[in-house]
Amino acid sequence: MDRVDAPAEQMTPATDAAAAGHQLPQSIDILKIMQSIPHRYPFLLIDKMVEIHAGQSAIGIKNVTVNEPFFQGHFPSHPVMPGVLIVEAMAQTAATLVVMTLGEAFEGKLVYFMTIENAKFRRPVGPGDQLRIHVDKERSRANVWKFKGVARVDGVAMAEATFSAMIMG
């Protein structure tokens, strides 16, 4: 994997055995996300990732704007981001973390949902909100990873779910 150059204080050592031998940047931009996962507009639902801990956790950032294509039909007079898209943003954050952990051989690989459990939607997300999508690995075995995700706006939990996915090698 090409390492993003960053000052040493922004780098975090890889803690997962699969990531041994390389370090991950503390944050990545949209270009690196697009290199990591195959999603594209209008279905690429994260803009940036921060606080990346290889094989363990990360925070994805989604800046929600009124120009999102889903607002045209989900509810035009009171725009609300669909909950399923918030869960998808959690999955994209987790998938990017997995690819960054496993390295360039996995860049652009497909990742398929296997389960979504205990999804809860606490408050609506709308234009002007910045979602901070916290994902924490619960476990991984071979190419199957399970995560707990919580999407927050200004520190308040808006949605949460536990999900597992399989990366196709």
Side-chain angles (χ1 to χ4, degrees), residues 76-144:
S77 63
H78 185 77
V80 174
M81 183 175 184
V84 295
L85 295 183
I86 297 171
V87 174
E88 174 65 24
M90 290 178 196
Q92 290 180 18
T93 301
T96 303
L97 172 62
V98 169
V99 169
M100 297 284 298
T101 297
L102 296 177
E104 69 183 21
F106 288 86
E107 288 179 357
K109 299 289 184 186
L110 296 177
V111 180
Y112 293 113
F113 267 127
M114 293 178 64
T115 65
I116 301 171
E117 302 167 335
N118 302 317
K120 296 180 179 132
F121 305 99
R122 308 253 182 229
R123 296 185 180 183
V125 174
D129 287 340
Q130 182 184 71
L131 277 179
R132 292 182 63 85
I133 304 152
H134 301 249
V135 296
D136 292 292
K137 180 186 85 171
E138 289 193 339
R139 67 178 168 267
S140 63
R141 176 187 260 175
N143 60 341
V144 177

Side-chain angles (χ1 to χ4, degrees), residues 6-163:
E9 67 273 6
Q10 291 182 348
M11 300 298 282
T12 178
T15 58
D16 191 80
H22 70 272
Q23 291 181 325
L24 297 184
Q26 188 61 24
S27 68
I28 60 170
D29 63 15
I30 190 65
L31 297 176
K32 187 63 178 172
I33 292 168
M34 290 172 47
Q35 184 178 335
S36 298
I37 60 175
H39 302 77
R40 296 296 180 266
Y41 177 85
F43 216 69
L44 181 58
L45 298 172
I46 53 174
D47 300 314
K48 181 180 180 177
M49 284 181 50
V50 298
E51 298 183 33
I52 302 165
H53 302 279
Q56 296 302 316
S57 65
I59 298 174
I61 306 292
K62 168 65 178 162
N63 295 305
V64 182
T65 72
V66 75
N67 296 322
E68 306 288 349
F70 49 79
F71 285 141
Q72 187 174 7
H74 196 262
F75 311 119
S77 63
H78 185 77
V80 174
M81 183 175 184
V84 295
L85 295 183
I86 297 171
V87 174
E88 174 65 24
M90 290 178 196
Q92 290 180 18
T93 301
T96 303
L97 172 62
V98 169
V99 169
M100 297 284 298
T101 297
L102 296 177
E104 69 183 21
F106 288 86
E107 288 179 357
K109 299 289 184 186
L110 296 177
V111 180
Y112 293 113
F113 267 127
M114 293 178 64
T115 65
I116 301 171
E117 302 167 335
N118 302 317
K120 296 180 179 132
F121 305 99
R122 308 253 182 229
R123 296 185 180 183
V125 174
D129 287 340
Q130 182 184 71
L131 277 179
R132 292 182 63 85
I133 304 152
H134 301 249
V135 296
D136 292 292
K137 180 186 85 171
E138 289 193 339
R139 67 178 168 267
S140 63
R141 176 187 260 175
N143 60 341
V144 177
W145 294 63
K146 185 171 185 176
F147 285 88
K148 167 75 174 169
V150 179
R152 294 184 172 99
V153 173
D154 296 328
V156 177
M158 308 303 264
E160 61 187 80
T162 300
F163 53 93

